[in-house]
Amino acid sequence: MTSTLNGNGQAHTDTVLLPRRFHTQVEIRWSDMDVFQHVNHARMVTLLEEARIPWLFEGDRPTSALGKGCVLTDLHVRYRAQLRHEDTPLDIAMWVQRLRAVDFTVGYEVRPNGAAPDSPPAVIASTQLAAFDIETQRLRRFTPEERDYLAQWLDK
């Protein structure tokens, strides 16, 4: 919430509604650091992958079957600030940017430990993931349950 003054000089409270995001914390390992003492690019991609697991692939999720058949088809990572070992655990917020019949795009915002959810993220990323049938080696359509779950996280 934020407080502002109205025209009469009285305090007025505004509610700030943030979009729906799945938040998880991911620990930075010492081995994630590079020679410049910040998180290495390849390791950041791994940390994003680790963040997706509790959101999409755990046993009780309607999307858990994607853990056995899902391929990454596109990846974009933009760095706005350095992240260092002392920033652990990272807060990684995720949501669905786009949902289609066989694929979806995940948006990410990565912030250091203790940063406010509406503060500028250190990393902004996206990954496009497609449902994949391992046996037939083809893309497959989402089940209605998978689609409904993913649609809950769609940025509207």
Side-chain angles (χ1 to χ4, degrees), residues 52 55-57 63 66 69-74 94-108 126-131 140 142 146-147 149-151 153-154:
R52 288 193 302 265
W55 179 39
L56 298 173
F57 305 135
T63 51
L66 292 175
C70 185
V71 293
L72 187 126
T73 61
D74 194 37
M94 296 167 285
W95 67 96
V96 175
Q97 292 179 327
R98 184 176 67 175
L99 177 59
R100 300 188 311 178
V102 300
D103 65 16
F104 64 108
T105 303
V106 176
Y108 304 83
S126 66
T127 55
Q128 183 179 8
L129 302 167
R140 69 165 178 84
F142 292 121
E146 289 170 336
R147 187 167 182 74
Y149 179 73
L150 293 170
W153 301 98
L154 198 56

Side-chain angles (χ1 to χ4, degrees), residues 2-124:
T2 60
S3 293
T4 57
L5 297 178
N6 65 16
N8 300 328
Q10 298 171 330
H12 172 71
T13 303
D14 295 320
T15 301
V16 178
L17 295 175
L18 297 174
R20 184 167 187 205
R21 304 285 192 253
F22 183 91
H23 287 262
T24 192
Q25 292 188 333
V26 177
E27 295 286 332
I28 299 173
R29 295 167 294 265
W30 188 253
S31 61
D32 294 335
M33 310 303 292
D34 65 15
V35 71
F36 301 111
Q37 299 296 310
H38 59 256
V39 176
N40 174 277
H41 170 71
R43 299 301 187 130
M44 178 54 66
V45 172
T46 299
L47 294 170
L48 296 175
E49 180 180 6
E50 290 173 8
R52 288 193 302 265
I53 293 169
W55 179 39
L56 298 173
F57 305 135
E58 286 189 348
D60 63 339
R61 304 280 185 218
T63 51
S64 64
L66 292 175
K68 296 179 183 128
C70 185
V71 293
L72 187 126
T73 61
D74 194 37
L75 167 70
H76 296 271
V77 182
R78 291 182 300 191
Y79 297 92
R80 304 296 182 162
Q82 293 183 28
L83 290 169
R84 300 177 181 276
H85 192 264
E86 59 265 19
D87 294 323
T88 200
L90 298 176
D91 175 61
I92 302 181
M94 296 167 285
W95 67 96
V96 175
Q97 292 179 327
R98 184 176 67 175
L99 177 59
R100 300 188 311 178
V102 300
D103 65 16
F104 64 108
T105 303
V106 176
Y108 304 83
E109 291 180 344
V110 181
R111 292 179 175 79
N113 183 37
D118 59 348
S119 66
V123 175
I124 299 169

Side-chain angles (χ1 to χ4, degrees), residues 132-139:
F132 193 76
D133 185 321
I134 298 295
E135 289 179 24
T136 63
Q137 292 291 298
R138 294 179 178 257
L139 295 178

